[in-house]
Amino acid sequence: MNGKGYTPIDREWMSKALALAEQAGKAGEVPVGAILVQEGQIVGEGWNQPISGCDPTAHAEVIALRDAATKLGNYRLPGTTLYVTIEPCTMCVGALLHARVSRLVYGAAEPRAGAIVSQLQLTESAHYNHKIEVVGGILADQCSELMTNFFRQRR
């Protein structure tokens, strides 16, 4: 989960997620972006929208899952990889598990609320009937810098 096990294409997809995160930041949202890929194609994308959408569940990951589920006509999304710029929170990990996402690739760790390695290790819990392959740390510096700059401007 430390950036090992990723491919050059993973870096390309994460760059696309970073562009969505920048879009969120420009809209005044916490800059997190996510894309869902299946068989080399983007099937869902999202960026944080809880403020503008007055929706506490409108995290980038959830928006990307909703987008893909609608496009594919199925709430289950096996064979997909989610790329997200920041380590997912508890809610988002739950959504990934329920959607049966196969692989998660995230950028920077989220020390306060991350539910993959930082605070909880939900994807390693034995009681879930679905397992997600996890790779973290891809373009972590760029992802982290985007968040740091956003919050620095807010203060």
Side-chain angles (χ1 to χ4, degrees), residues 4-120:
K4 296 177 184 169
Y6 67 88
T7 66
I9 193 71
D10 288 334
R11 291 177 59 86
E12 290 180 38
W13 291 127
M14 186 60 74
S15 293
K16 293 182 185 311
L18 263 167
L20 292 173
E22 290 172 0
Q23 185 174 338
K26 289 176 184 171
E29 301 278 0
V30 174
V32 180
I35 61 168
L36 194 68
V37 175
Q38 185 178 56
E39 297 177 0
Q41 300 292 319
I42 295 174
V43 294
E45 62 182 24
W47 57 90
N48 267 6
Q49 299 174 47
I51 298 168
S52 61
C54 296
D55 179 356
T57 69
H59 290 196
E61 301 94 324
V62 172
I63 299 294
L65 292 173
R66 289 176 182 162
D67 186 33
T70 299
K71 286 177 183 171
L72 298 174
N74 195 343
Y75 73 107
R76 300 282 197 215
L77 302 167
T80 58
T81 297
L82 183 85
Y83 295 87
V84 62
T85 55
I86 300 297
E87 176 185 1
C89 70
T90 304
M91 175 186 70
C92 292
V93 171
L96 295 171
L97 288 165
H98 286 289
R100 304 298 192 262
V101 168
S102 299
R103 187 167 178 251
L104 166 66
V105 179
Y106 70 89
E110 208 298 83
R112 297 183 80 183
I116 302 295
V117 296
S118 295
Q119 293 297 325
L120 300 170

